[in-house]
Amino acid sequence: MEKEHQEQYEYARRRLNQKKILYFHFVLFLLGSLFMFIANHFQAFGYTSNWSVWLITLWTFLFVLHFIKVYITNRFMDKNWEREQINRLIALQKQKITEFQVQVEKDFTLNKK
């Protein structure tokens, strides 16, 4: 029971840290986008094109990937999912070994006659 409680705590701590980093990324994204938009509007860097739109679009794409990783991928593919997959693969392997043993015993008894 103690180990399970510790695992739950560690999982909750990791998830909280992931969400905290995502929120920090979002705030940084907003401030950075605002800065780039203002810098582009006043042409602070000497470029006449809308370079900030391209950078903000790229950053939006990266933020969406980060969001998907935190809220979709990691949510469904956690430790419990890993354990279930490992147990399923072990069960399949045991089933194949049992089938193979039955086949070997069947062949052995046929060859013995």
Side-chain angles (χ1 to χ4, degrees):
M1 182 71 172
E2 180 71 27
K3 184 178 180 181
E4 182 178 318
H5 191 58
Q6 181 67 23
E7 285 179 0
Q8 289 174 343
Y9 173 78
E10 287 297 320
Y11 173 74
R13 191 179 61 75
R14 278 193 310 273
R15 288 289 296 155
L16 183 63
N17 194 35
Q18 288 176 342
K19 289 178 181 181
K20 187 169 75 170
I21 291 171
L22 179 70
Y23 296 150
F24 177 76
H25 185 181
F26 181 68
V27 170
L28 189 65
F29 167 71
L30 290 178
L31 293 175
S33 297
L34 181 65
F35 171 76
M36 285 188 283
F37 182 76
I38 290 171
N40 188 42
H41 181 69
F42 291 112
Q43 298 177 352
F45 298 111
Y47 297 107
T48 57
S49 66
N50 282 338
W51 56 269
S52 66
V53 174
W54 292 104
L55 286 177
I56 292 170
T57 303
L58 177 66
W59 202 350
T60 302
F61 176 72
L62 293 175
F63 178 75
V64 168
L65 288 179
H66 190 183
F67 180 85
I68 289 171
K69 180 181 181 290
V70 171
Y71 278 102
I72 297 174
T73 307
N74 283 352
R75 185 175 183 187
F76 295 112
M77 295 182 182
D78 60 353
K79 289 274 187 187
N80 293 332
W81 181 83
E82 275 184 37
R83 280 191 209 123
E84 290 173 9
Q85 294 300 312
I86 289 171
N87 290 338
R88 186 180 66 81
L89 291 173
I90 289 171
L92 283 171
Q93 190 176 23
K94 285 181 180 179
Q95 179 185 1
K96 287 181 181 181
I97 290 171
T98 304
E99 291 172 0
F100 184 69
Q101 284 176 338
V102 168
Q103 184 66 34
V104 167
E105 289 173 3
K106 184 179 175 184
D107 290 345
F108 182 72
T109 54
L110 287 176
N111 287 338
K112 201 174 183 184
K113 289 182 180 183

